[in-house]
Amino acid sequence: VECDHLIFEKEGVYLHTNAKKSNQDTSIPGFIRIVERAGLPALEWSPLEDDGRNAPAVLYSKKDGDGGEEDTNFDPGYEPDWAVISTVKKEREHVPVKSSGQWAFSLPLSELYSLRRSRFSLGRNFLVLTSRGGHPLPPLHFHRGGTRELLRALQRYIILDPSPLDGRLFLAYPQDSGTLPQSFDRLQFLEDGGNDLVSRFIHDPYATTFGGFSKVTNFFRAALRPPESPIHARTPQDPSLPPQPDEEPGFELITCGVELGPKPDVTRGQPLDKWEEFLDSEGRVTCQEKIKELVFRGGITHSLRKEIWKFLLGFYPWNSTAKEREDILRVKTDEYFRMKVQWKSVSEEQEMRNSLLRGYRSLIERDVNRTDRHNTFFSGNDNPGLTLLHDVLMTYCMYNFDLGYVQGMSDLLSPILFVTQNEVESFWCLTGFMELVHQNFEESQEAMKQQLLQLSILLKALDPELCDFLDSQDSGSLCFCFRWLLIWFKREFSFEDILTLWEVLWTRLPCENFHLLIACSILESQREELIGSNHDFNTILKHINELTMKLDLQSVLRGAEAIYLQLFLCKELPVMVKQVLGLYVPPSSEEESPDSQASETQRLLSQSQEGAAASNSACRPSCP
C-alpha cells in the first residue's frame, strides 16, 4: 500500500465563510496542507476543531526531498471523505472539490487554476483559490503568516505565473507543461488554431479578440501579458530579489489605500456657438486654451464643427493666419491627390501580384458597405458618401502603408467625413485622429494591453470591491472594454453623441487618458447591476454589449470629470494612478516643471462649483 505523504502544513489558517459581509463573517481556524496521495499532490484545508479526527491518514516528512524520516501524525481510523486521484486519464475531466464536514476541502493541484489575493470589507488580505472547473473556494486568511512558504512548497508541483493585469492574481500551470503560454498562438486562442491570429486581428480586431476570450476564458490573462511588464509581481521563484520578512510574496495591491473623498458636483455647459470673436484681424486664434475649455465643457455647435475640428485634429495650426490656412489647404490638396493617384493607377494585373493592397481593398469595400448605413449621408446604394469613405481609406493605405487598413478605421472616418463633407479635409483630419489612436490597430496589440492595464489600475483605486467581483468572475482583465477603447466608444453612443464625445476628448483636457475615465464612469454607473445580479463572465460580457445606445452621454461625461477631480484632490494618490493621468512629477523635476496640470484642474473645479449658469456665461469670448 503506497503511503500518503504530508509535504507541507501550516496552522493558524482561517477559513472565512462570508468574507465580503463583515457583519456576518464566520472565521474557522484550521490547517492548510499539501499532501501527496498515490504520488499525486493535493492542497487541503481542515478545521482545527476536528483535531485530526476528520483528517486523512498522512505521514509527515521531517526532511526535504526523498529519504526523510517519517512519523504517523494523523490517523482517523476510517476512510475520510477526501478527493483522491488514482489514475490520470488522457482526456482529463475536472475533478470536483470534495469536502469533509461542511468546510474542509481537498483540491488536487492538477485542478488548481489560480491563486488570488483579495481585500474585502474586513480590511484583511485573503487568499482565494479557484479550481479549473471555475469553483472559487472560501477565502483563507493566514493569521500567522506563511503564504511565502506555501507558495514555495507549491512550486515543487506547479508553475505560478503572475497576471500582467492584476498583480494579485497568479495562474497555475503544471510543471510539465513546457514553456508558459506567452502569446495567443501558443494558447491556441481560437478553436481552429492560433497561427493566423495576427491576420485575423488586422481584419477584425474586436470580433477576433472577443471570440477568443469567450472560448478560453481561463487563459486570457496570460495571453494578454505584455513583454517586460513593469507590473509583474515578484514571484517566489525569483532568487535575485531578497526576501522581505514583512512582505507577502508575489502580489502587488494596486489600490488607493486612502479615502478618496466624495466626488465633486460637476455641471456641463452649453456648446460653443461663437468663433469669429476668437480670431484677430489676420484670422489667428487668440484664445486657444479658452476654446478648448469651452469645447471640453459643452462641445461645439454643429455649424462650427467643420471649422474647429480642423484645429483640434491638427490640420490647421492654432496660430495660423487665414492666408496661411489657404496655402496649407492648397498644398495638402495636391499631396492628397498624388497619393490617391497611386492606388487608382494600379491595374488589375498589377493588383493580382500585390496581395497586401488587394487585401486592404477587400477589407475596405466590405466595411464601407456596413458603416453607419443608418445615417442619411451613407444610406442607400451608390451613395456618393460611400465612395468618399472608400477613397479616403484607400488613400490612407498609401499614406501609411505599414499600418494599412484595419477594421474599425472606417468607424473613425465616418463622423469626420459627415462633418467636413470634404474628401481632402476629412483625410487630413483622419490622419490627425490616427496620430492619437494608431497604436490601437497595430499587430502587437501592445497599446490595447497597456490601456486595459491602465484602466484596471484606475478602477482598483476607485472601486476595489467592483474589481474583486470582476476578478471572481474571470473578468478582471476588463476585456469587455476592448471595443470601447479601440474605437473610442463609437459603437456605444448615438452618432450625434459621438460627435460631442470625440471633440471633448480631442481637447486632451483635463488630463491624459481621459477616455479611460469615461470607461470608469460607465463601469461605475453599472456596478450595482453587475454586482447585484450574480453575473458570470458571459453574462457580464452580454450586459456590457447591451449598453449600446442606452448610455446618457452627459451623465457619463459628468461622472468622468467628477472621477478625475476626486482623484486629483486625493493627497495620497498612488504613483501608478498619477502616471496614468499624467499627474506624476518626478521629485528631481518638481521645482523646474510648472504645475500647469494643477492650474487647469483648479479652473475646472471652480467652473464645477459655479454651476450651470456660470458655465453658460463662460461662452463669451474672453481670455484670462
Side-chain angles (χ1 to χ4, degrees):
V1 179
E2 186 172 350
C3 295
D4 295 334
H5 292 262
L6 179 64
I7 305 302
F8 172 85
E9 181 180 62
K10 181 68 179 178
E11 188 182 354
V13 179
Y14 284 71
L15 182 144
H16 289 257
T17 61
N18 196 350
K20 290 197 173 184
K21 297 181 179 179
S22 57
N23 59 338
Q24 300 178 11
D25 181 74
T26 300
S27 301
I28 305 175
F31 294 87
I32 191 78
R33 304 180 180 93
I34 299 176
V35 181
E36 279 191 6
R37 301 184 179 283
L40 298 176
L43 186 65
E44 304 178 345
W45 182 90
S46 60
L48 184 63
E49 63 188 22
D50 285 358
D51 196 25
R53 290 187 297 273
N54 289 334
V58 295
L59 293 176
Y60 175 62
S61 177
K62 292 183 177 179
K63 297 180 181 179
D64 292 336
D66 297 332
E69 195 174 343
E70 298 177 343
D71 293 321
T72 303
N73 279 356
F74 306 103
D75 188 354
Y78 59 91
E79 188 66 25
D81 183 19
W82 292 82
V84 178
I85 303 177
S86 58
T87 58
V88 178
K89 300 179 181 179
K90 290 184 179 180
E91 295 184 0
R92 185 186 67 187
E93 299 178 357
H94 291 306
V95 180
V97 177
K98 302 287 185 178
S99 63
S100 174
Q102 185 177 5
W103 295 107
F105 65 79
S106 176
L107 178 67
L109 291 187
S110 61
E111 293 302 315
L112 177 62
Y113 163 56
S114 69
L115 299 90
R116 179 173 56 88
R117 165 170 271 185
S118 297
R119 175 174 291 174
F120 300 126
S121 57
L122 290 172
R124 287 174 287 184
N125 294 322
F126 297 88
L127 195 65
V128 179
L129 311 172
T130 302
S131 72
R132 294 199 179 278
H135 307 292
L137 299 176
L140 301 174
H141 174 62
F142 286 69
H143 187 66
R144 303 175 184 174
T147 54
R148 182 182 300 276
E149 291 81 2
L150 173 64
L151 296 178
R152 187 178 294 116
L154 287 173
Q155 279 190 266
R156 296 177 58 176
Y157 306 100
I158 59 176
I159 296 172
L160 295 175
D161 191 34
S163 164
L165 301 182
D166 187 347
R168 300 172 294 178
L169 178 72
F170 274 62
L171 299 174
Y173 298 94
Q175 286 279 9
D176 59 354
S177 63
T179 303
L180 289 177
Q182 297 284 331
S183 68
F184 294 132
D185 293 350
R186 294 191 195 117
L187 283 170
Q188 296 182 341
F189 205 54
L190 304 171
E191 284 181 350
D192 50 352
N195 293 331
D196 60 341
L197 174 70
V198 168
S199 62
R200 271 174 287 172
F201 177 81
I202 294 174
H203 293 180
D204 193 343
Y206 35 85
T208 300
T209 303
F210 274 111
F213 281 143
S214 65
K215 293 171 186 174
V216 285
T217 303
N218 290 342
F219 289 102
F220 67 88
R221 294 178 188 273
L224 286 174
R225 178 186 304 107
E228 306 298 332
S229 172
I231 311 301
H232 277 186
R234 179 173 63 183
T235 63
Q237 64 263 35
D238 188 356
S240 63
L241 297 176
Q244 300 294 328
D246 58 346
E247 178 188 1
E248 289 291 350
F251 299 100
E252 178 180 356
L253 290 175
I254 307 173
T255 60
C256 190
V258 294
E259 291 295 331
L260 290 177
K263 291 187 179 70
D265 292 330
V266 171
T267 57
R268 301 284 300 160
Q270 294 299 313
L272 175 63
D273 58 0
K274 299 177 177 63
W275 178 244
E276 296 297 328
E277 291 88 339
F278 290 100
L279 306 178
D280 66 14
S281 58
E282 294 185 318
R284 292 187 186 88
V285 176
T286 58
C287 300
Q288 171 187 344
E289 296 306 319
K290 184 65 176 179
I291 290 174
K292 288 183 178 180
E293 288 178 21
L294 295 175
V295 173
F296 173 78
R297 181 66 50 203
I300 306 171
T301 300
H302 187 71
S303 60
L304 294 179
R305 281 179 171 140
K306 177 180 172 64
E307 187 67 20
I308 300 177
W309 278 24
K310 288 180 280 189
F311 289 87
L312 291 173
L313 291 171
F315 181 39
Y316 290 150
W318 288 94
N319 61 350
S320 61
T321 65
K323 176 64 170 62
E324 289 170 340
R325 291 195 287 274
E326 291 177 3
D327 294 339
I328 289 171
L329 180 59
R330 184 174 60 256
V331 171
K332 291 295 187 181
T333 299
D334 290 344
E335 186 176 352
Y336 172 79
F337 282 106
R338 280 200 302 271
M339 289 185 289
K340 183 174 181 179
V341 166
Q342 290 175 4
W343 65 266
K344 292 282 284 186
S345 61
V346 174
S347 67
E348 291 186 10
E349 185 179 357
Q350 284 178 299
E351 191 168 307
M352 289 300 297
R353 295 189 294 270
N354 191 330
S355 60
L356 195 57
L357 180 62
R358 191 167 65 248
Y360 289 155
R361 186 192 295 273
S362 175
L363 286 173
I364 290 171
E365 290 175 351
R366 184 188 67 179
D367 286 352
V368 162
N369 287 324
R370 61 184 187 181
T371 299
D372 292 322
R373 298 303 299 273
H374 61 280
N375 188 299
T376 55
F377 190 77
F378 303 106
S379 62
N381 297 323
D382 300 322
N383 189 312
L386 297 179
T387 302
L388 291 178
L389 196 64
H390 172 274
D391 289 359
V392 171
L393 292 172
M394 284 295 299
T395 305
Y396 186 83
C397 290
M398 298 293 105
Y399 174 81
N400 188 349
F401 208 88
D402 285 341
L403 179 62
Y405 178 80
V406 182
Q407 193 198 25
M409 290 167 58
S410 62
D411 282 289
L412 303 185
L413 173 60
S414 62
I416 296 174
L417 187 56
F418 171 77
V419 167
T420 63
Q421 303 201 8
N422 179 282
E423 182 176 2
V424 173
E425 293 176 353
S426 67
F427 172 82
W428 291 111
C429 286
L430 174 66
T431 63
F433 195 1
M434 288 299 294
E435 284 297 313
L436 300 176
V437 300
H438 71 93
Q439 291 180 328
N440 290 2
F441 299 94
E442 292 178 354
E443 292 180 11
S444 67
Q445 305 178 61
E446 291 303 320
M448 292 303 300
K449 300 172 194 174
Q450 178 68 10
Q451 289 177 76
L452 288 172
L453 173 61
Q454 291 173 329
L455 179 58
S456 177
I457 291 171
L458 292 174
L459 197 62
K460 283 179 175 67
L462 291 166
D463 198 336
E465 185 181 356
L466 178 57
C467 284
D468 280 335
F469 170 76
L470 294 174
D471 283 342
S472 70
Q473 302 305 321
D474 281 332
S475 299
S477 72
L478 305 178
C479 67
F480 48 81
C481 300
F482 185 92
R483 185 177 71 186
W484 296 359
L485 307 182
L486 180 73
I487 53 175
W488 278 24
F489 308 95
K490 172 63 163 51
R491 304 284 181 88
E492 319 314 317
F493 293 95
S494 68
F495 195 87
E496 180 60 33
D497 279 348
I498 280 297
L499 305 183
T500 300
L501 174 60
W502 283 3
E503 61 200 13
V504 168
L505 293 175
W506 291 336
T507 67
R508 315 306 288 165
L509 295 177
C511 63
E512 295 180 15
N513 292 315
F514 188 64
H515 68 296
L516 299 181
L517 297 184
I518 295 288
C520 288
S521 178
I522 296 173
L523 291 174
E524 285 203 336
S525 73
Q526 301 299 311
R527 78 179 307 277
E528 298 305 324
E529 168 64 26
L530 292 173
I531 295 178
S533 299
N534 196 29
H535 286 295
D536 59 16
F537 176 86
N538 290 325
T539 57
I540 288 174
L541 184 60
K542 181 174 182 291
H543 175 75
I544 294 298
N545 284 338
E546 289 176 349
L547 294 177
T548 299
M549 305 302 165
K550 297 178 182 177
L551 297 167
D552 178 66
L553 176 62
Q554 295 304 318
S555 176
V556 169
L557 286 171
R558 285 193 298 270
E561 185 182 351
I563 288 171
Y564 168 73
L565 296 174
Q566 181 188 34
L567 292 173
F568 178 82
L569 292 172
C570 178
K571 300 302 182 184
E572 300 179 23
L573 197 63
V575 170
M576 294 183 67
V577 178
K578 290 182 179 180
Q579 290 173 333
V580 172
L581 299 179
L583 298 176
Y584 178 68
V585 179
S588 59
S589 61
E590 208 164 34
E591 296 179 359
E592 306 170 5
S593 302
D595 196 4
S596 57
Q597 192 90 45
S599 60
E600 175 58 38
T601 301
Q602 293 303 326
R603 285 198 294 271
L604 291 174
L605 276 171
S606 62
Q607 286 185 12
S608 66
Q609 291 167 357
E610 288 169 2
S615 296
N616 296 344
S617 65
C619 291
R620 292 193 298 269
S622 59
C623 295

